[in-house]
Amino acid sequence: VEKEFQIAVETYKDPGAKSRRDRKYKEIYAKYRCHPVWLFANVVAQAPVFISFFFAVKDLEVKYSSFTTGGILWFKDLSVMDPYNTLPPLAMLSLLGAMEINLRARKEVTEPQQYKIQLGVQRILCFSMIPMVIGLKYPAGVFVYWIGNNCFSLTQVWLLNHSAIRTTFGLPPLTAFVSAQSKKNPMPPLPPPI
């Protein structure tokens, strides 16, 4: 796919050929069924499930009295906010861990400049969310759920990026990113979203 995009960029360089280049991009997307919008399909599919669990856990104290005594360590009552505000940063760190393991496993298949940008954005996102999450004053049960979910994701990502696991389940190996264009220009032009 990348080779075809590079050919389209080289073929339709001049500014007047923008519409023909865009048409070629659409043809490539259709041929390989790889439109950039599909990158967000996973998030769109999982977001409602995560949000529904989030609000269900938040309101569990109403239905189950054991939710007020089911905690451990410093958060004995899962229906109230963590008294030391340690669970929100742990939730963000576990989220960052899952995202970084996924990104680092794909370092060889990602363009170097794009890798650095993604790594920086992920870190900024996670650390900037800590004050907001503390300020929302969610009950400790929400964060216990969130941390557990992040740890599951972290394990899943680690396993699926392990070569032996990929071979066992018949998944294709991750291939290295090689691009003649990236050697000339560290940030190749991206096709416009359609």
Short mmCIF file of all heavy atoms in Angstrom, two decimals, residues 47-93:
data_model
loop_
_atom_site.label_atom_id
_atom_site.label_comp_id
_atom_site.label_asym_id
_atom_site.label_seq_id
_atom_site.Cartn_x
_atom_site.Cartn_y
_atom_site.Cartn_z
N ALA A 47 -15.57 2.08 23.06
CA ALA A 47 -15.91 3.20 23.95
C ALA A 47 -17.26 3.01 24.65
O ALA A 47 -17.34 3.19 25.87
CB ALA A 47 -15.86 4.51 23.18
N PRO A 48 -18.33 2.65 23.96
CA PRO A 48 -19.61 2.49 24.67
C PRO A 48 -19.57 1.40 25.73
O PRO A 48 -20.16 1.54 26.81
CB PRO A 48 -20.60 2.12 23.57
CG PRO A 48 -19.98 2.55 22.30
CD PRO A 48 -18.50 2.49 22.51
N VAL A 49 -18.85 0.33 25.45
CA VAL A 49 -18.74 -0.76 26.42
C VAL A 49 -17.99 -0.28 27.66
O VAL A 49 -18.42 -0.48 28.80
CB VAL A 49 -18.03 -1.99 25.80
CG1 VAL A 49 -17.79 -3.07 26.83
CG2 VAL A 49 -18.84 -2.52 24.63
N PHE A 50 -16.85 0.40 27.45
CA PHE A 50 -16.06 0.91 28.56
C PHE A 50 -16.87 1.90 29.38
O PHE A 50 -16.89 1.84 30.60
CB PHE A 50 -14.77 1.56 28.05
CG PHE A 50 -13.92 2.12 29.14
CD1 PHE A 50 -13.13 1.30 29.92
CD2 PHE A 50 -13.90 3.48 29.40
CE1 PHE A 50 -12.34 1.80 30.93
CE2 PHE A 50 -13.12 4.00 30.40
CZ PHE A 50 -12.34 3.16 31.18
N ILE A 51 -17.57 2.81 28.71
CA ILE A 51 -18.35 3.83 29.42
C ILE A 51 -19.49 3.20 30.21
O ILE A 51 -19.76 3.59 31.35
CB ILE A 51 -18.85 4.90 28.42
CG1 ILE A 51 -17.67 5.71 27.91
CG2 ILE A 51 -19.89 5.80 29.05
CD1 ILE A 51 -17.98 6.61 26.74
N SER A 52 -20.15 2.20 29.63
CA SER A 52 -21.26 1.55 30.35
C SER A 52 -20.74 0.81 31.59
O SER A 52 -21.35 0.89 32.66
CB SER A 52 -22.03 0.61 29.43
OG SER A 52 -21.21 -0.46 29.01
N PHE A 53 -19.60 0.12 31.48
CA PHE A 53 -19.01 -0.51 32.66
C PHE A 53 -18.61 0.54 33.69
O PHE A 53 -18.80 0.35 34.89
CB PHE A 53 -17.78 -1.34 32.27
CG PHE A 53 -18.10 -2.73 31.85
CD1 PHE A 53 -17.90 -3.13 30.54
CD2 PHE A 53 -18.60 -3.66 32.75
CE1 PHE A 53 -18.19 -4.42 30.14
CE2 PHE A 53 -18.89 -4.95 32.36
CZ PHE A 53 -18.68 -5.33 31.04
N PHE A 54 -18.05 1.62 33.20
CA PHE A 54 -17.60 2.71 34.06
C PHE A 54 -18.75 3.21 34.94
O PHE A 54 -18.62 3.31 36.16
CB PHE A 54 -17.05 3.82 33.16
CG PHE A 54 -16.32 4.90 33.87
CD1 PHE A 54 -15.02 4.72 34.28
CD2 PHE A 54 -16.93 6.13 34.10
CE1 PHE A 54 -14.34 5.73 34.91
CE2 PHE A 54 -16.26 7.14 34.72
CZ PHE A 54 -14.96 6.94 35.13
N PHE A 55 -19.89 3.53 34.32
CA PHE A 55 -21.02 4.04 35.08
C PHE A 55 -21.70 2.97 35.91
O PHE A 55 -22.23 3.25 36.98
CB PHE A 55 -22.01 4.75 34.15
CG PHE A 55 -21.51 6.08 33.68
CD1 PHE A 55 -21.22 6.28 32.34
CD2 PHE A 55 -21.30 7.11 34.57
CE1 PHE A 55 -20.73 7.50 31.91
CE2 PHE A 55 -20.81 8.34 34.15
CZ PHE A 55 -20.53 8.53 32.82
N ALA A 56 -21.66 1.73 35.44
CA ALA A 56 -22.23 0.63 36.23
C ALA A 56 -21.43 0.44 37.52
O ALA A 56 -22.01 0.29 38.60
CB ALA A 56 -22.25 -0.65 35.42
N VAL A 57 -20.11 0.46 37.42
CA VAL A 57 -19.26 0.29 38.60
C VAL A 57 -19.44 1.49 39.54
O VAL A 57 -19.47 1.33 40.76
CB VAL A 57 -17.78 0.12 38.19
CG1 VAL A 57 -16.87 0.20 39.39
CG2 VAL A 57 -17.59 -1.20 37.48
N LYS A 58 -19.60 2.66 38.97
CA LYS A 58 -19.77 3.88 39.78
C LYS A 58 -21.01 3.79 40.66
O LYS A 58 -21.03 4.27 41.78
CB LYS A 58 -19.85 5.09 38.84
CG LYS A 58 -19.91 6.39 39.54
CD LYS A 58 -19.94 7.52 38.54
CE LYS A 58 -20.08 8.83 39.30
NZ LYS A 58 -20.77 9.83 38.56
N ASP A 59 -22.07 3.14 40.16
CA ASP A 59 -23.34 3.06 40.89
C ASP A 59 -23.57 1.73 41.60
O ASP A 59 -24.67 1.46 42.06
CB ASP A 59 -24.49 3.34 39.92
CG ASP A 59 -24.44 4.74 39.35
OD1 ASP A 59 -23.93 5.64 40.05
OD2 ASP A 59 -24.88 4.94 38.21
N LEU A 60 -22.55 0.89 41.72
CA LEU A 60 -22.72 -0.42 42.36
C LEU A 60 -23.06 -0.33 43.83
O LEU A 60 -23.73 -1.20 44.38
CB LEU A 60 -21.45 -1.26 42.19
CG LEU A 60 -21.38 -2.12 40.95
CD1 LEU A 60 -20.05 -2.85 40.87
CD2 LEU A 60 -22.51 -3.11 40.88
N GLU A 61 -22.62 0.72 44.51
CA GLU A 61 -22.87 0.84 45.94
C GLU A 61 -24.36 0.87 46.26
O GLU A 61 -24.78 0.46 47.33
CB GLU A 61 -22.20 2.10 46.48
CG GLU A 61 -22.95 3.36 46.03
CD GLU A 61 -22.14 4.61 46.10
OE1 GLU A 61 -21.17 4.72 45.34
OE2 GLU A 61 -22.49 5.46 46.90
N VAL A 62 -25.17 1.36 45.32
CA VAL A 62 -26.61 1.44 45.53
C VAL A 62 -27.22 0.05 45.62
O VAL A 62 -28.09 -0.21 46.46
CB VAL A 62 -27.27 2.24 44.38
CG1 VAL A 62 -28.77 2.26 44.51
CG2 VAL A 62 -26.70 3.64 44.32
N LYS A 63 -26.77 -0.89 44.79
CA LYS A 63 -27.36 -2.23 44.75
C LYS A 63 -26.68 -3.22 45.67
O LYS A 63 -27.31 -4.16 46.13
CB LYS A 63 -27.32 -2.76 43.31
CG LYS A 63 -28.20 -1.98 42.36
CD LYS A 63 -28.19 -2.61 41.00
CE LYS A 63 -29.11 -1.82 40.08
NZ LYS A 63 -29.18 -2.37 38.75
N TYR A 64 -25.39 -3.05 45.90
CA TYR A 64 -24.64 -4.03 46.69
C TYR A 64 -23.93 -3.34 47.85
O TYR A 64 -22.99 -2.58 47.66
CB TYR A 64 -23.60 -4.75 45.82
CG TYR A 64 -24.23 -5.46 44.64
CD1 TYR A 64 -24.20 -4.91 43.36
CD2 TYR A 64 -24.87 -6.68 44.82
CE1 TYR A 64 -24.78 -5.56 42.29
CE2 TYR A 64 -25.46 -7.33 43.76
CZ TYR A 64 -25.41 -6.77 42.49
OH TYR A 64 -26.01 -7.41 41.44
N SER A 65 -24.37 -3.69 49.07
CA SER A 65 -23.76 -3.07 50.25
C SER A 65 -22.32 -3.53 50.45
O SER A 65 -21.52 -2.83 51.08
CB SER A 65 -24.60 -3.36 51.49
OG SER A 65 -24.68 -4.76 51.68
N SER A 66 -21.98 -4.71 49.94
CA SER A 66 -20.60 -5.21 50.09
C SER A 66 -19.59 -4.34 49.35
O SER A 66 -18.39 -4.43 49.60
CB SER A 66 -20.51 -6.66 49.62
OG SER A 66 -20.79 -6.73 48.23
N PHE A 67 -20.07 -3.51 48.45
CA PHE A 67 -19.19 -2.61 47.71
C PHE A 67 -18.52 -1.60 48.65
O PHE A 67 -17.45 -1.09 48.36
CB PHE A 67 -19.99 -1.89 46.62
CG PHE A 67 -19.16 -1.37 45.49
CD1 PHE A 67 -18.48 -2.24 44.65
CD2 PHE A 67 -19.07 -0.02 45.25
CE1 PHE A 67 -17.72 -1.76 43.59
CE2 PHE A 67 -18.30 0.47 44.19
CZ PHE A 67 -17.63 -0.41 43.37
N THR A 68 -19.17 -1.33 49.79
CA THR A 68 -18.60 -0.38 50.75
C THR A 68 -17.55 -1.02 51.65
O THR A 68 -16.81 -0.31 52.32
CB THR A 68 -19.71 0.24 51.63
OG1 THR A 68 -20.39 -0.83 52.31
CG2 THR A 68 -20.68 1.04 50.80
N THR A 69 -17.46 -2.34 51.65
CA THR A 69 -16.47 -3.01 52.50
C THR A 69 -15.57 -3.96 51.70
O THR A 69 -14.79 -4.68 52.30
CB THR A 69 -17.17 -3.82 53.60
OG1 THR A 69 -18.03 -4.78 52.98
CG2 THR A 69 -17.96 -2.92 54.53
N GLY A 70 -15.67 -3.96 50.40
CA GLY A 70 -14.96 -4.94 49.58
C GLY A 70 -13.57 -4.54 49.14
O GLY A 70 -12.92 -5.28 48.41
N GLY A 71 -13.08 -3.40 49.58
CA GLY A 71 -11.76 -2.94 49.14
C GLY A 71 -10.63 -3.60 49.91
O GLY A 71 -10.85 -4.42 50.81
N ILE A 72 -9.42 -3.26 49.54
CA ILE A 72 -8.23 -3.78 50.23
C ILE A 72 -7.27 -2.63 50.48
O ILE A 72 -7.46 -1.52 49.99
CB ILE A 72 -7.53 -4.89 49.40
CG1 ILE A 72 -7.16 -4.35 48.02
CG2 ILE A 72 -8.40 -6.12 49.29
CD1 ILE A 72 -6.29 -5.31 47.21
N LEU A 73 -6.25 -2.90 51.24
CA LEU A 73 -5.19 -1.94 51.54
C LEU A 73 -5.77 -0.62 52.04
O LEU A 73 -6.52 -0.60 53.01
CB LEU A 73 -4.29 -1.74 50.31
CG LEU A 73 -3.61 -3.01 49.78
CD1 LEU A 73 -2.88 -2.73 48.48
CD2 LEU A 73 -2.67 -3.61 50.80
N TRP A 74 -5.48 0.49 51.40
CA TRP A 74 -5.93 1.81 51.89
C TRP A 74 -7.30 2.20 51.36
O TRP A 74 -7.89 3.15 51.83
CB TRP A 74 -4.91 2.89 51.53
CG TRP A 74 -4.84 3.17 50.05
CD1 TRP A 74 -5.54 4.11 49.38
CD2 TRP A 74 -4.05 2.49 49.09
NE1 TRP A 74 -5.24 4.07 48.04
CE2 TRP A 74 -4.31 3.07 47.83
CE3 TRP A 74 -3.14 1.44 49.13
CZ2 TRP A 74 -3.72 2.65 46.66
CZ3 TRP A 74 -2.55 1.04 47.96
CH2 TRP A 74 -2.83 1.63 46.74
N PHE A 75 -7.83 1.48 50.40
CA PHE A 75 -9.15 1.81 49.85
C PHE A 75 -10.15 0.71 50.23
O PHE A 75 -10.61 -0.05 49.41
CB PHE A 75 -9.10 2.05 48.34
CG PHE A 75 -8.43 0.96 47.55
CD1 PHE A 75 -9.17 -0.06 46.97
CD2 PHE A 75 -7.05 0.96 47.38
CE1 PHE A 75 -8.55 -1.06 46.25
CE2 PHE A 75 -6.43 -0.04 46.65
CZ PHE A 75 -7.19 -1.06 46.09
N LYS A 76 -10.52 0.68 51.51
CA LYS A 76 -11.44 -0.34 52.03
C LYS A 76 -12.85 -0.16 51.48
O LYS A 76 -13.54 -1.12 51.22
CB LYS A 76 -11.49 -0.27 53.56
CG LYS A 76 -10.16 -0.44 54.23
CD LYS A 76 -9.81 -1.86 54.41
CE LYS A 76 -8.54 -1.98 55.23
NZ LYS A 76 -7.72 -3.07 54.82
N ASP A 77 -13.28 1.09 51.31
CA ASP A 77 -14.62 1.39 50.82
C ASP A 77 -14.52 1.76 49.34
O ASP A 77 -14.00 2.82 48.98
CB ASP A 77 -15.22 2.55 51.63
CG ASP A 77 -16.67 2.82 51.28
OD1 ASP A 77 -17.18 2.22 50.32
OD2 ASP A 77 -17.27 3.66 51.98
N LEU A 78 -15.04 0.91 48.47
CA LEU A 78 -14.96 1.15 47.03
C LEU A 78 -15.99 2.15 46.54
O LEU A 78 -15.95 2.55 45.37
CB LEU A 78 -15.13 -0.18 46.28
CG LEU A 78 -14.04 -1.23 46.52
CD1 LEU A 78 -14.41 -2.54 45.84
CD2 LEU A 78 -12.71 -0.73 46.02
N SER A 79 -16.90 2.56 47.39
CA SER A 79 -17.95 3.48 46.98
C SER A 79 -17.57 4.95 47.18
O SER A 79 -18.31 5.83 46.77
CB SER A 79 -19.25 3.18 47.73
OG SER A 79 -19.08 3.44 49.11
N VAL A 80 -16.45 5.20 47.83
CA VAL A 80 -16.00 6.59 48.05
C VAL A 80 -14.67 6.82 47.33
O VAL A 80 -13.99 5.88 46.93
CB VAL A 80 -15.85 6.93 49.55
CG1 VAL A 80 -17.18 6.82 50.27
CG2 VAL A 80 -14.81 6.05 50.21
N MET A 81 -14.32 8.07 47.22
CA MET A 81 -13.07 8.43 46.54
C MET A 81 -11.85 7.92 47.31
O MET A 81 -11.88 7.87 48.55
CB MET A 81 -13.02 9.95 46.41
CG MET A 81 -11.97 10.46 45.49
SD MET A 81 -12.09 12.25 45.40
CE MET A 81 -10.41 12.66 45.75
N ASP A 82 -10.82 7.56 46.62
CA ASP A 82 -9.56 7.12 47.23
C ASP A 82 -9.05 8.24 48.14
O ASP A 82 -8.81 9.36 47.68
CB ASP A 82 -8.55 6.83 46.12
CG ASP A 82 -7.17 6.49 46.64
OD1 ASP A 82 -7.02 6.20 47.84
OD2 ASP A 82 -6.23 6.51 45.83
N PRO A 83 -8.88 7.98 49.44
CA PRO A 83 -8.49 9.05 50.37
C PRO A 83 -7.10 9.64 50.10
O PRO A 83 -6.84 10.79 50.44
CB PRO A 83 -8.55 8.39 51.74
CG PRO A 83 -8.46 6.93 51.48
CD PRO A 83 -9.03 6.70 50.12
N TYR A 84 -6.21 8.89 49.48
CA TYR A 84 -4.85 9.39 49.23
C TYR A 84 -4.61 9.76 47.77
O TYR A 84 -3.49 10.12 47.40
CB TYR A 84 -3.83 8.34 49.68
CG TYR A 84 -3.97 7.97 51.13
CD1 TYR A 84 -4.43 6.71 51.49
CD2 TYR A 84 -3.69 8.89 52.14
CE1 TYR A 84 -4.59 6.37 52.82
CE2 TYR A 84 -3.84 8.55 53.47
CZ TYR A 84 -4.29 7.30 53.81
OH TYR A 84 -4.46 6.96 55.13
N ASN A 85 -5.62 9.63 46.93
CA ASN A 85 -5.51 9.94 45.50
C ASN A 85 -4.35 9.22 44.81
O ASN A 85 -3.67 9.77 43.96
CB ASN A 85 -5.39 11.45 45.27
CG ASN A 85 -6.70 12.16 45.48
OD1 ASN A 85 -7.75 11.62 45.18
ND2 ASN A 85 -6.64 13.36 46.00
N THR A 86 -4.15 7.96 45.18
CA THR A 86 -3.10 7.18 44.53
C THR A 86 -3.65 6.32 43.38
O THR A 86 -2.90 5.98 42.46
CB THR A 86 -2.39 6.25 45.54
OG1 THR A 86 -3.37 5.48 46.22
CG2 THR A 86 -1.58 7.05 46.53
N LEU A 87 -4.93 6.00 43.44
CA LEU A 87 -5.49 5.17 42.38
C LEU A 87 -5.58 5.89 41.02
O LEU A 87 -5.30 5.27 40.00
CB LEU A 87 -6.87 4.63 42.78
CG LEU A 87 -6.85 3.57 43.89
CD1 LEU A 87 -8.26 3.18 44.29
CD2 LEU A 87 -6.06 2.35 43.46
N PRO A 88 -5.94 7.20 40.97
CA PRO A 88 -5.95 7.86 39.65
C PRO A 88 -4.59 7.85 38.94
O PRO A 88 -4.52 7.48 37.77
CB PRO A 88 -6.43 9.29 39.95
CG PRO A 88 -7.23 9.14 41.19
CD PRO A 88 -6.55 8.06 41.99
N PRO A 89 -3.48 8.21 39.63
CA PRO A 89 -2.19 8.10 38.93
C PRO A 89 -1.84 6.66 38.54
O PRO A 89 -1.26 6.43 37.48
CB PRO A 89 -1.17 8.65 39.93
CG PRO A 89 -1.96 9.50 40.85
CD PRO A 89 -3.33 8.89 40.92
N LEU A 90 -2.21 5.68 39.39
CA LEU A 90 -1.95 4.28 39.04
C LEU A 90 -2.75 3.88 37.80
O LEU A 90 -2.25 3.14 36.95
CB LEU A 90 -2.30 3.35 40.21
CG LEU A 90 -1.33 3.35 41.38
CD1 LEU A 90 -1.87 2.48 42.52
CD2 LEU A 90 0.03 2.84 40.95
N ALA A 91 -3.97 4.38 37.69
CA ALA A 91 -4.78 4.09 36.50
C ALA A 91 -4.13 4.67 35.25
O ALA A 91 -4.05 4.02 34.21
CB ALA A 91 -6.20 4.64 36.67
N MET A 92 -3.65 5.90 35.36
CA MET A 92 -3.02 6.54 34.19
C MET A 92 -1.69 5.86 33.85
O MET A 92 -1.35 5.70 32.68
CB MET A 92 -2.79 8.03 34.45
CG MET A 92 -4.07 8.85 34.56
SD MET A 92 -5.08 8.77 33.08
CE MET A 92 -6.38 7.70 33.59
N LEU A 93 -0.93 5.45 34.87
CA LEU A 93 0.34 4.76 34.60
C LEU A 93 0.10 3.39 33.96
O LEU A 93 0.84 2.99 33.07
CB LEU A 93 1.15 4.62 35.89
CG LEU A 93 1.80 5.90 36.40
CD1 LEU A 93 2.44 5.67 37.77
CD2 LEU A 93 2.82 6.42 35.41
#
